[in-house]
Amino acid sequence: MAIFPSLPHLRRSFSSSIARRLRRPPAARSFTTTEGSRPTIVHKRSLDILHDPWFNKGTAFSITERDRLDLRGLLPPNIMTPQQQIDRFMVDLKRLEVHARDGPSDTNALAKWRILNRLHDRNETMYYKILIENIEEYAPIVYTPTVGLVCQNYSGLFRRPRGMYFSAADRGEMMSMVYNWPAEQVDMIVVTDGSRILGLGDLGVQGIGIAIGKLDLYVAAAGINPQRVLPVMIDVGTNNEKLLKDPLYLGLQQHRLDGDEYLSVIDEFMEAVFTRWPNVIVQFEDFQSKWAFNLLQRYRNTYRMFNDDVQGTAGVAIAGLLGAVRAQGRPMIDFPKQKIIVAGAGSAGIGVVNAARKTMARMLGNNESAFDSARSQFWVVDATGLITEGRANIDPHALPFARKLKEVSHQGLTEGASLVEVVKKVKPDVLLGLSAVGGLFSEEVLEALKDSSSTRPAIFAMSNPTKNAECTPEEAFSIVGEHIIFASGSPFLDVDLGDGKIGHSNQGNNMYLFPGIGLGTLLSGARVISDGMLQAAAECLAAYIKEEEALEGIIYPPISSIRDITKEVAAAVVREAIAEDLAEGYRDMDARELQRLSQEETVTYVENNMWNPVYPTLVYRRD
Ligand SMILES: NC(=O)C1=CN([C@@H]2O[C@H](COP(=O)(O)OP(=O)(O)OC[C@H]3O[C@@H](n4cnc5c(N)ncnc54)[C@H](O)[C@@H]3O)[C@@H](O)[C@H]2O)C=CC1
Ligand SMILES: CC(=O)C(=O)O
Ligand SMILES: [Mg+2]
């Protein structure tokens, strides 16, 4: 730790009275004052301190220092001793050897993440230029799958904080803490409570990595200005016993708050951020299902917010499902005839079946009986098997999809039937996994899918990261056949089927939609995010794929075109917000002017408002 007398340039800048006081000959009490215990006077606060290697103590700043120096919320809540900091660093330093033993790919991915992260700390413009120009190569590093590994190892990887941390210990303080963030304007917040990070479970405070990764895509794909994004971690504790026992864990070492106590923390956070930044958009990310639906219902009619896992995933799945219908050489309007098995009844799985049912109902006439009959196209299987009305203590969110016992008994199925039994009996057109269970689509399940009644069965192994995918494309193509459609949440390479044929590995990930949903909401000035705006986003993505591509088994566009896709999706969201009379305008584009824009002009309007990574000319002006 640097001590004042050893920093002559700072001594010069001190007010003479303070300097005189500090240069006074040792007073009587000085026999107790050692060199290290004298205070160091600093003329900086907030991030300026954290970014200054002379003064920065990182996680070792005490609670009173955090308050005095406006650091509250800018660091993970657990205060570390200097020795704990060193221990954490050494664990990380040694990890290279450990990973070299475990397998080379993880080490390489983490090493790339570190190099990119260091650049992010030094020069944002250059960082995002590299990311945008090489998105296909580096999205898997800053996003899934590597971001999962980063979250798992975050205590060791943590260097310079990014984003804000609000913890259960900050109750009553959030309204003032939010002013510790240096940016006057924030457009996009991605917030997590770390309770279900990808398919990796409860990672507590370490989940901040997913908020950072999602916002990287907001900048790269949607052109949100990086100075106006804010990753947020709400630390209400963790139920991960391993983390609770780890002395180097950076979060609160207590079990998660629950019930009203939990809600009061999230309420306080929402009130604080919307008070300081009334036009911000908040994306909820990777909250366990229990809270994902509840918080969405609680806030969606009051705040500009959405839940990416429930709503973004649903839209991406719908686009892919419509693509799979077209891949069979059938019109999209045939979608309501598809038999769909969904493995996983959490925030993502239930979000998908809800949206798919509504899409079918719209195609069937958009009335109550259409909505009713669409229900029978879905079979939902969770950890205890097929969900039927015979299930005790059924989750209310899954209830609308519980099969009637009579119905399933006709098919030779019962409550809790296994996935393989359900596949055998239903012979589905689509098998979609959002279970977080790697390998769930086992050889037996894929063998059973060979009897699908579809000409081109579709397999969506959507769980993340890679090791949680329900199956690999190699397994799917080799077991079920070359005619299938395949999509996964994390990226896989295409499969060489021989004779010049390629089995396409599509990436079915909400990254195709959330940046456009956020950007479109921002630029329309819509006060809330409606189902119609989300539906418009999904339809736009579905329409992005050309007929001949669909016939080749391509149901999602390449990641390299994500900036263009996002622009189109955002424009579709803006237009829907206008159509629903939700748009209030953005900056000097008021609602009336927005309304006058043609479809083409809306796309140009969106494009003109996307940030590009070019160095601006800087001019110094004293405030
Ligand atoms: N590709 C994408 O864009 C997205 C992928 N996901 C992935 O979806 C997965 C699930 O996310 P959530 O729904 O939020 O998680 P969750 O934990 O709320 O739900 C998991 C569900 O899977 C079920 N399940 C567990 N074992 C099963 C088994 N053996 N057979 C069938 N079902 C089983 C559970 O009962 C539960 O209903 C995660 O891996 C996540 O990464 C989530 C959002 C977007
Ligand atoms: C992609 C994503 O949001 C997830 O796996 O949770
Ligand atoms: Mg997610």
Side-chain angles (χ1 to χ4, degrees), residues 90-112 114 145-146 148-154 156-157 242 467:
M90 294 310 287
V91 169
D92 188 41
L93 196 60
K94 301 280 177 203
R95 192 192 329 272
L96 214 58
E97 293 158 28
V98 176
H99 276 273
R101 281 199 305 271
D102 291 354
S105 61
D106 284 355
T107 318
N108 288 344
L110 270 186
K112 285 182 194 172
R114 273 176 218 268
T146 309
L149 200 60
V150 169
C151 290
Q152 285 177 307
N153 295 291
Y154 207 71
L157 293 171
K242 208 170 144 214
K467 72 180 177 60

Side-chain angles (χ1 to χ4, degrees), residues 257-259 287-295 347 397:
L257 295 185
D258 206 354
F287 283 69
Q288 57 182 317
S289 298
K290 174 178 163 184
W291 288 116
F293 295 111
N294 186 317
L295 297 175
S347 65
H397 298 107

Side-chain angles (χ1 to χ4, degrees), residues 196 214 285-286 308-309 510:
R196 189 287 279 152
K214 293 270 176 184
E285 192 65 47
D286 291 6
D308 180 40
D309 299 291
N510 51 29

Side-chain angles (χ1 to χ4, degrees), residues 28 75 96 155 198 225 227 269 311 501 535 580 621:
L75 288 160
L96 214 58
S155 283
L198 304 176
N225 188 323
Q227 291 177 13
F269 157 76
Q311 298 168 299
K501 285 183 283 178
Q535 179 70 22
E580 291 183 32
R621 196 177 65 188

Side-chain angles (χ1 to χ4, degrees), residues 10 12 21 57 61 76 154 160 184 204 263 283 297 304 314 340 358 395 406 409 422 427 460 463 473 488 498 530 574:
L10 277 176
R12 273 198 304 276
R21 225 181 310 142
K57 303 184 198 176
F61 277 111
Y154 207 71
R160 187 184 268 197
E184 282 307 320
L263 283 174
Q283 171 169 324
Q297 287 320 315
R304 297 218 292 187
I340 301 174
K358 282 187 195 155
D395 174 356
K406 226 194 216 164
S409 78
V422 181
K427 306 184 193 312
F460 290 76
S463 290
S488 55
S530 68
V574 170

